[in-house]
Amino acid sequence: MKVYLDNAATTPMDQEVIDAIIPIMQNNFGNPSSVHSFGRGTRAIIEKARKQVAGYINALPGEIVFTGGGTEADNLALRGAVDDLGVNHIITSKIEHHAVVDTAIAVGEKHNVKVSFVSFDEKGYVEIESIERLLEENKDRKTIVSLMHANNEIGNKLPLKKVAGLCKKYDAYFHSDTVQTMCHYKFDVRELGIDFITCSAHKFHGPKGIGFLYINENLQLKPIITGGAQERNVRAGTENIIGIVGLTKAMEVAYRDLDEHQKHVQGLKSYMIEQLERIIPEVKFNGDPKENSLYTVLNVQFPNTDMDEMLLYNFDIEGIAVSGGSACSSGSNVGSHVLRNIGVDMAKPALRFSFSKYNTKEEIDYTLSVVKDLFAVKV
Ligand code: PLP
């Protein structure tokens, strides 16, 4: 049996997405910047998609900038804020995805921008008071707060509206990497009062290499990738029409069936927690999976055995794909900056199981039977 439980790294594409892309590849090759009918046809498809995408998050079409994925969108938000909005202070966390934390550090070093890090409580939640303290201490600076909506390794969620309120109070910008939560929850950017959010299509059954940055209409960024006037002068380069159509269809499918999928996936996660606790009484979970947690992610801390180093590979041998580290460095839990920074005992082996609507209870039962076999004789 082959079981894919690494959906926080990437997801399989929906058939409806593939079906939407194929005719575009066959028929719509015109360059959207061309003035002739071939180009105009492609341009019309892109603008229709932009409008549809904006509608799902209650944004305006002009607030959506298509990018080459989540990493680029995170870069555009942070680098743009420093280059074009006078930001000289970034508040972020040490458990952000590398696309944010490495960018914040790089920008900080290059542009003499102060970078401050929030603290966590014992369950790995961002301490909201530490955000306010840092904002208060740096009142004389122009700040952008960049904190992800849900952590891709442990699943802990951030109360976006509360943080947005704090940012308003201190006249700071607020960016959130919503790569793991877009299309898994509903979003209303107007109600949230947020300045930037990042999206990546391959985390919700869309294609890789396409995402977007929502930029509030009152903010004007210059491109970090220069060389053309595409995307209203914010992102140069011929538009990825296949990706844009795929992303839009994936969003449509996700939001159409959201309630049903949330219920299904949360059910699988809860079942897995319950059964793991039954099979291995010493099992622990990193983060806070029974509370304010992304329903697709479960980070499990197993007891030590003589196969600690080989745990992920043992699952792989049995046909089960899981991850030991962050989404983009799957393969081992050695050096997970997230687990280390929330104070997890790094001597214990940890694996991330992440679920999608395509997983079944039978697959979870098979995975649990492998857990049983691996641990029954070893613990
Ligand atoms: N942000 C988060 C939270 C992620 O999980 C990922 C992917 O793993 C990214 C950003 C990067 O997105 P992309 O792969 O589209 O560049």
Side-chain angles (χ1 to χ4, degrees):
M1 193 173 191
K2 281 278 208 188
V3 182
Y4 185 74
L5 292 177
D6 200 13
N7 290 283
T10 196
T11 52
M13 274 214 270
D14 280 325
Q15 188 58 46
E16 285 183 73
V17 172
I18 296 167
D19 292 343
I21 287 174
I22 290 170
I24 297 291
M25 292 196 285
Q26 288 164 333
N27 307 320
N28 303 97
F29 64 90
N31 188 320
S33 297
S34 299
V35 291
H36 48 63
S37 64
F38 292 83
R40 290 198 311 275
T42 316
R43 162 72 47 220
I45 293 168
I46 292 175
E47 294 316 317
K48 186 168 167 246
R50 194 189 311 280
K51 199 169 164 205
Q52 197 178 335
V53 165
Y56 292 122
I57 60 169
N58 198 20
L60 301 168
E63 295 178 315
I64 304 296
V65 174
F66 290 115
T67 63
T71 304
E72 187 193 323
D74 285 341
N75 268 265
L76 178 58
L78 290 179
R79 292 179 192 274
V82 169
D83 288 347
D84 308 316
L85 302 177
V87 162
N88 57 6
H89 179 223
I90 300 172
I91 297 178
T92 187
S93 89
K94 289 189 176 165
I95 66 167
E96 294 300 300
H97 189 273
H98 286 296
V100 165
V101 77
D102 291 4
T103 305
I105 291 168
V107 168
E109 282 170 3
K110 197 162 172 198
H111 298 281
N112 202 19
V113 169
K114 182 175 173 185
V115 182
S116 304
F117 294 100
V118 296
S119 55
F120 310 102
D121 67 15
E122 70 285 353
K123 287 180 175 163
Y125 289 112
V126 170
E127 281 178 326
I128 305 297
E129 315 79 66
S130 75
I131 306 174
E132 178 144 31
R133 184 175 43 76
L134 290 169
L135 285 165
E136 179 68 38
E137 282 170 10
N138 293 279
K139 266 202 301 218
D140 54 332
R141 290 176 179 268
K142 189 69 191 170
T143 296
I144 185 168
V145 174
S146 181
L147 292 170
M148 68 208 310
H149 185 201
N151 187 274
N152 50 302
E153 290 193 45
I154 56 172
N156 285 20
K157 286 197 316 184
L158 182 85
L160 284 184
K161 202 165 175 191
K162 202 167 177 180
V163 178
L166 274 181
C167 291
K168 280 266 150 5
K169 182 173 162 193
Y170 289 88
D171 199 24
Y173 298 115
F174 183 27
H175 164 248
S176 185
D177 179 328
T178 56
V179 164
Q180 291 292 338
T181 50
M182 177 68 61
C183 290
H184 298 283
Y185 297 94
K186 288 192 175 125
F187 280 88
D188 182 330
V189 290
R190 299 259 106 69
E191 200 216 317
L192 284 171
I194 197 161
D195 297 301
F196 306 98
I197 58 175
T198 294
C199 163
S200 174
H202 73 100
K203 307 293 182 171
F204 50 88
H205 311 286
K208 294 170 183 51
I210 183 74
F212 68 80
L213 181 68
Y214 156 80
I215 307 175
N216 180 273
E217 59 173 339
N218 298 318
L219 306 174
Q220 197 57 55
L221 298 189
K222 294 204 181 82
I224 55 168
I225 294 171
T226 52
Q230 291 91 351
E231 293 297 295
R232 293 177 175 80
N233 270 320
V234 185
R235 201 271 188 182
T238 302
E239 295 87 339
N240 174 1
I241 180 158
I242 296 162
I244 291 170
V245 168
L247 177 149
T248 308
K249 181 52 88 174
M251 273 188 109
E252 182 185 317
V253 174
Y255 281 121
R256 184 187 65 206
D257 304 327
L258 187 69
D259 293 346
E260 186 194 322
H261 293 146
Q262 274 183 343
K263 215 169 133 214
H264 173 69
V265 178
Q266 179 64 62
L268 296 179
K269 175 173 163 175
S270 302
Y271 177 66
M272 181 124 182
I273 292 175
E274 203 181 284
Q275 293 302 311
L276 281 173
E277 284 176 333
R278 198 178 56 77
I279 299 169
I280 313 174
E282 305 93 320
V283 82
K284 287 207 172 80
F285 300 101
N286 296 315
D288 195 22
K290 294 180 193 171
E291 292 299 326
N292 196 11
S293 179
L294 172 61
Y295 58 91
T296 53
V297 168
L298 180 63
N299 196 308
V300 183
Q301 188 191 82
F302 290 97
N304 291 108
T305 64
D306 57 3
M307 58 172 181
D308 284 0
E309 303 291 316
M310 295 302 292
L311 199 49
L312 189 144
Y313 302 100
N314 285 337
F315 278 98
D316 192 32
I317 287 164
E318 301 301 332
I320 301 165
V322 295
S323 163
S326 74
C328 298
S329 53
S330 315
S332 145
N333 73 320
V334 176
S336 159
H337 69 292
V338 173
L339 299 186
R340 196 175 49 247
N341 279 301
I342 60 165
V344 164
D345 178 0
M346 298 300 281
K348 291 261 182 344
L351 291 181
R352 179 188 66 185
F353 297 82
S354 51
F355 314 97
S356 87
K357 61 187 178 185
Y358 291 119
N359 290 123
T360 62
K361 181 164 175 296
E362 289 67 39
E363 290 178 336
I364 305 301
D365 279 330
Y366 172 67
T367 304
L368 290 163
S369 75
V370 170
V371 169
K372 229 187 237 167
D373 288 347
L374 286 176
F375 283 89
V377 284
K378 305 273 183 182
V379 179

